[in-house]
Amino acid sequence: MDLSREAAHAEPALRALYPFTSHWALRFSTTVRPRLTVVGPCLTANGDGTYGAGMGLMTPDLGLFATAHEAVAKAVRQLPSGLGPIALGPPLQPPPSETSPQAKGTLA
């Protein structure tokens, strides 16, 4: 996976996003943790030496490639336009307590 990260870092469009790994895949977000806003394809390094790019988690539906650079190039072409620099994600909200109006299904 290191080669995929290096190849992704070489692309300015991906370098502007927050990279993270999940389930052995390299993904990207427009926000940082704790709440990620996942955008674009998922990149994988496969046991047979190939690299995958796909819109689903661990699904190389965009193709299998001989090099990480080819997979990254495909991923960049799939990014939506107008992505800006990364931002803070919204804070995590605690679950409503059992005595709150939201938990009872009523609002004050």
Side-chain angles (χ1 to χ4, degrees):
M1 187 60 71
D2 289 336
L3 184 57
S4 294
R5 274 187 244 171
E6 290 173 15
H9 185 74
E11 284 290 339
L14 294 179
R15 197 169 47 244
L17 300 172
Y18 178 75
F20 67 99
T21 55
S22 176
H23 299 87
W24 299 99
L26 181 59
R27 309 220 50 199
F28 300 91
S29 174
T30 57
T31 57
V32 296
R33 294 182 191 274
R35 296 226 182 181
L36 298 172
T37 306
V38 179
V39 63
C42 175
L43 297 170
T44 57
N46 303 311
D48 63 358
T50 62
Y51 296 86
M55 295 308 291
L57 183 62
M58 304 294 290
T59 305
D61 57 344
L62 297 176
L64 290 173
F65 303 91
T67 69
H69 293 282
E70 291 172 311
V72 166
K74 180 66 171 186
V76 168
R77 289 192 298 272
Q78 300 300 315
L79 288 174
S81 62
L83 294 176
I86 58 172
L88 290 176
L92 292 176
Q93 299 295 322
S97 68
E98 292 182 26
T99 59
S100 73
Q102 293 88 356
K104 293 180 181 178
T106 61
L107 297 176

